[in-house]
Amino acid sequence: MTGRRLLTYGFAALLVIWTLVPIYWLFTMSMMFKTELLAIPTHLYPHEPTVSNYTRLFGGTAIGPGGAELPVIGQAPIIQNGLRNSLLVAVVVTAITMLVSLPVAYALGRLQFRGRTPMLFAIITTRSYPPIAIILPFVLLYSQVGLQGTVRGLVIVYLTLTIPMVIWVMTSFFSSLPRTVEAAARVDGNTRWQAFYRVILPMSWPGIAVATAISFMVCWNEFVFSQFLAAGSPAQTLPPAISTFFFQISQPTEMAAVSIISIVPPAILAYLFQRRIRNLNLVDPL
Amino acid sequence: MATTAEMAPPQIESATGRGWSSSRLSDGQFATLLTVPVIVALLAIVGYPTAYSLWTSLHRIDLIFKRNEYVGLANYQEALTSPALGHALVVTLYYTALVTGFALVIAVGGALVLNEKFRGRGFVMALVILPWAVSLYATAIVWKYLYSAEWGMFNAVLQGLSLVDRPVNFLSESLAIPAVAVAHAWQIAPLGMYFVLATLQVIPEDLYKAAKVDRLGLFGRFRHVIFPYIKAPLLIVMVLVTVEAARAFDLIFFMTGGGPGDVSTTLTWEVYRVFYKNNQYGQGAALGWLLVLLTTAITTVYFLLLFWRRRERPDTAAAADLTIGET
């Protein structure tokens, strides 16, 4: 018995290490001066921890290890602008997505009708197409109608990602509610519509919260569309800004700090909602 | 104003009342009312570019001289017969197989650990979802830094333990694809882990007791008690991961750029290369359609699996599916 317990703890430790090591390393790098990063042998933790890679992203300067002043990071305005755009796009898209998707998910999750199966299939298919395969027509279309490099353009194209995702998740949630709920509400004199928003909706806040979080994360983490539809424009979100930073004047310690910042919002959401994500089946909503 | 409206007694429309009422509709009509506007809007957003892409794939496009020539299926023929496509397909298959294999091992292993009782279990369970929250592009950056030959953590540890004399080049010709696949598996495994865990938790306690009576070892218990239960969910996770791996682009973009040489040129990267580096729009669109065909085919399998599972084991499927009411 103790042998098995030991084994369990051993594997649990392994699981934690596996999960955390990459993030630990990114964080460690972000807390180093670039001179320390190049030390031989490589330091496995910052011997001279510094937050300068973060402060220099937001307009601060810092004193380096040799006493020299480190200037503000040159790409800082682009990164800040990217952060603002990412937030704006994610919030707007998520708001529209929730309004639009909930009724559809309700129908798919609780009503029997012809066309339900094909509709589910269409939704899962739109969820699985590779953006890179259809990006070119979007680029050409967008440059014709003036949506290239605009926040509006990004919002429109992100809706095609989030709406199927949220419909998928919420269909799963709605179909998990007890079968008799609407019937009871209808007996009490509610119309179908009232049964939906007076009875079903208030029961559904847990699911709606998760779906909102997921929609936000999908937008926040999206790279391909923003790279090809908005890179280099004032509307570019954080990922293409990071891509520029990464490929042009990449200073790994500063890059690590930016990456950590990009990870924080979705990580917080995932942590807050992990119990619900675990219970809400994201893999199989049928 | 809004408050008065809310406080007004709810108007109860009876099914036989005058005027329009949603209650008069049948299930089907109500469902149509709810779904059709959104589906139509979605199709409108995706439809034009899709049609445009189809049109492009049937033409030879010349943006400079604004000449478009109809060439029928020539682009498809060219794409299908080019050696680059064969290579990209092989790379995609190899990459997909590795990601799926790694992710399944992590998902099942992690779920088995989390199904045990130990102190700190709740904490670990919350922690393991973290990689899933990390975007693919950030995953690529993190792992590129872990793999770095100059200051990467892996090489630092390997050299510190004197396991290697000189830094390993993890993104070399032979290791690039497995290295990227490990990174992808790290990011994608948590969802599968949660899914398998949900299934493990519905295995009746009696079965474990019976296994004990039969003196089954760890492996025997996995083989005879656990595996029959997680078989179906595993298949589903497998197909889902396969789609994700087949459409991977961010990781290749940030980690290898399709290289070294063309070693990691997956189908997605090939589409990108033809579109953006060579500006062969017609052929790029044709390749894009082949890629969509591939992912749609895998998705169809996934979809059929879900249905098949529903029919085969309604009891376990339903139990594993949704337990949100309990939280």
Side-chain angles (χ1 to χ4, degrees):
Chain A
M1 214 44 201
T2 44
R4 183 170 170 194
R5 280 188 71 80
L6 223 65
L7 209 65
T8 306
Y9 279 101
F11 276 112
L14 211 63
L15 188 60
V16 171
I17 291 171
W18 164 255
T19 304
L20 282 187
V21 153
I23 293 164
Y24 166 80
W25 186 241
L26 195 65
F27 183 67
T28 297
M29 286 176 62
S30 78
M31 299 294 281
M32 284 180 177
F33 289 112
K34 69 174 184 200
T35 41
E36 188 184 353
L37 184 67
L38 298 173
I40 296 171
T42 308
H43 293 176
L44 288 176
Y45 62 93
H47 295 194
E48 245 187 296
T50 169
V51 292
S52 63
N53 294 314
Y54 293 93
T55 52
R56 286 165 55 240
L57 265 178
F58 294 98
T61 55
I63 302 299
E69 197 188 19
L70 301 172
V72 176
I73 294 171
Q75 296 268 350
I78 294 171
I79 299 289
Q80 288 169 22
N81 185 49
L83 272 169
R84 262 194 305 275
N85 284 332
S86 276
L87 192 67
L88 175 67
V89 170
V91 168
V92 171
V93 169
T94 301
I96 300 175
T97 301
M98 295 316 291
L99 279 177
V100 165
S101 311
L102 287 179
V104 182
Y106 173 76
L108 288 169
R110 300 197 69 84
L111 301 174
Q112 287 301 325
F113 58 99
R114 277 210 306 173
R116 177 176 176 270
T117 308
M119 225 175 256
L120 277 169
F121 181 70
I123 283 159
I124 181 95
T125 313
T126 40
R127 243 194 75 189
S128 66
Y129 72 81
I132 191 72
I134 62 149
I135 190 70
L136 182 82
F138 267 108
V139 172
L140 296 179
L141 172 66
Y142 269 29
S143 44
Q144 279 166 21
V145 297
L147 283 172
Q148 180 83 12
T150 64
V151 169
R152 259 176 315 148
L154 284 182
V155 167
I156 291 171
V157 76
Y158 279 11
L159 286 172
T160 68
L161 300 174
T162 53
I163 290 176
M165 180 78 202
V166 168
I167 291 178
W168 190 248
V169 172
M170 287 311 293
T171 299
S172 160
F173 184 86
F174 285 134
S175 66
S176 75
L177 298 174
R179 284 280 153 219
T180 50
V181 174
E182 288 102 329
R186 296 287 298 286
V187 168
D188 290 346
N190 288 300
T191 62
R192 278 178 180 285
W193 192 238
Q194 288 166 334
F196 171 60
Y197 73 74
R198 285 207 190 128
V199 184
I200 297 286
L201 222 46
M203 291 175 77
S204 306
W205 288 118
I208 293 172
V210 185
T212 309
I214 290 175
S215 165
F216 184 92
M217 286 165 70
V218 167
C219 296
W220 182 269
N221 288 342
E222 204 284 330
F223 166 69
V224 175
F225 280 124
S226 186
Q227 171 74 23
F228 292 107
L229 296 177
S233 78
Q236 82 175 346
T237 55
L238 188 58
I242 284 182
S243 151
T244 318
F245 197 26
F246 185 75
F247 287 108
Q248 288 179 1
I249 42 125
S250 194
Q251 206 51 264
T253 49
E254 297 164 0
M255 192 60 231
V258 180
S259 305
I260 287 285
I261 292 171
S262 84
I263 291 173
V264 167
I268 291 175
L269 287 177
Y271 180 76
L272 286 179
F273 289 106
Q274 56 88 15
R275 189 186 300 271
R276 294 205 172 121
I277 292 169
R278 191 150 22 106
N279 290 327
L280 184 70
N281 188 344
L282 295 179
V283 178
D284 173 11
L286 291 179
Chain B
M1 293 310 275
T3 43
T4 46
E6 273 165 29
M7 284 168 68
Q11 281 193 335
I12 298 169
E13 294 170 76
S14 75
T16 51
R18 66 206 150 73
W20 182 86
S21 160
S22 54
S23 295
R24 283 197 186 158
L25 305 171
S26 69
D27 265 14
Q29 286 168 323
F30 190 51
T32 310
L33 185 74
L34 293 179
T35 53
V36 167
V38 177
I39 302 292
V40 167
L42 259 188
L43 286 180
I45 301 179
V46 186
Y48 183 82
T50 309
Y52 193 96
S53 172
L54 254 184
W55 180 86
T56 311
S57 76
L58 300 174
H59 288 75
R60 186 151 290 141
I61 311 281
D62 194 329
L63 282 185
I64 300 164
F65 297 104
K66 302 267 177 206
R67 271 197 313 238
N68 305 321
E69 180 196 353
Y70 177 77
V71 292
L73 293 175
N75 284 322
Y76 288 91
Q77 196 187 1
E78 215 170 303
L80 280 172
T81 51
S82 91
L85 177 76
H87 173 74
L89 266 178
V90 171
V91 173
T92 305
L93 277 180
Y94 179 38
Y95 177 76
T96 304
L98 284 180
V99 175
T100 312
F102 292 152
L104 279 187
V105 170
I106 300 162
V108 174
L112 285 174
V113 172
L114 291 176
N115 197 37
E116 298 289 321
K117 290 182 180 63
F118 58 90
R119 256 206 282 179
R121 178 165 171 261
F123 169 73
V124 178
M125 204 142 26
L127 195 72
V128 292
I129 192 68
L130 207 58
W132 173 74
V134 178
S135 60
L136 283 170
Y137 74 83
T139 302
I141 291 170
V142 176
W143 282 82
K144 196 161 187 186
Y145 286 167
L146 283 169
Y147 287 141
S148 164
E150 299 118 86
W151 32 262
M153 184 181 191
F154 291 160
N155 274 311
V157 172
L158 287 175
Q159 283 181 301
L161 297 173
S162 306
L163 291 173
V164 294
D165 298 333
R166 68 186 69 188
V168 180
N169 181 3
F170 285 102
L171 296 173
S172 67
E173 280 190 20
S174 55
L175 289 178
I177 294 179
V180 179
V182 168
H184 201 165
W186 176 79
Q187 198 269 348
I188 208 172
L191 265 195
M193 205 183 293
Y194 275 8
F195 188 56
V196 174
L197 181 63
T199 318
L200 287 179
Q201 285 172 342
V202 301
I203 299 180
E205 199 64 30
D206 293 354
L207 284 179
Y208 289 112
K209 287 186 185 137
K212 206 179 237 173
V213 171
D214 290 345
R215 296 187 169 278
L216 286 180
L218 269 181
F219 181 75
R221 209 170 42 199
F222 180 78
R223 173 77 189 75
H224 296 288
V225 179
I226 296 170
F227 190 69
Y229 267 85
I230 62 172
K231 207 166 47 181
L234 265 190
L235 209 57
I236 291 167
V237 172
M238 203 177 100
V239 179
L240 195 70
V241 173
T242 307
V243 182
E244 290 300 319
R247 61 198 282 245
F249 178 77
D250 306 18
L251 283 152
I252 307 284
F253 187 91
F254 279 93
M255 289 182 82
T256 67
D262 62 354
V263 167
S264 59
T265 301
T266 55
L267 208 46
T268 48
W269 190 262
E270 179 65 11
V271 172
Y272 169 70
R273 198 180 62 81
V274 172
F275 264 162
Y276 282 92
K277 301 239 165 108
N278 300 0
N279 293 340
Q280 293 164 315
Y281 297 117
Q283 210 189 326
L287 269 175
W289 274 101
L290 291 176
L291 183 57
V292 169
L293 222 67
L294 182 75
T295 53
T296 306
I298 310 173
T299 312
T300 310
V301 174
Y302 170 54
F303 197 69
L304 291 175
L305 272 176
L306 297 183
F307 263 91
W308 163 79
R309 176 164 175 255
R310 173 97 343 190
R311 218 159 289 159
E312 292 293 302
R313 315 184 63 134
D315 48 339
T316 42
D321 261 6
L322 285 151
T323 44
I324 199 147
E326 290 168 15
T327 51

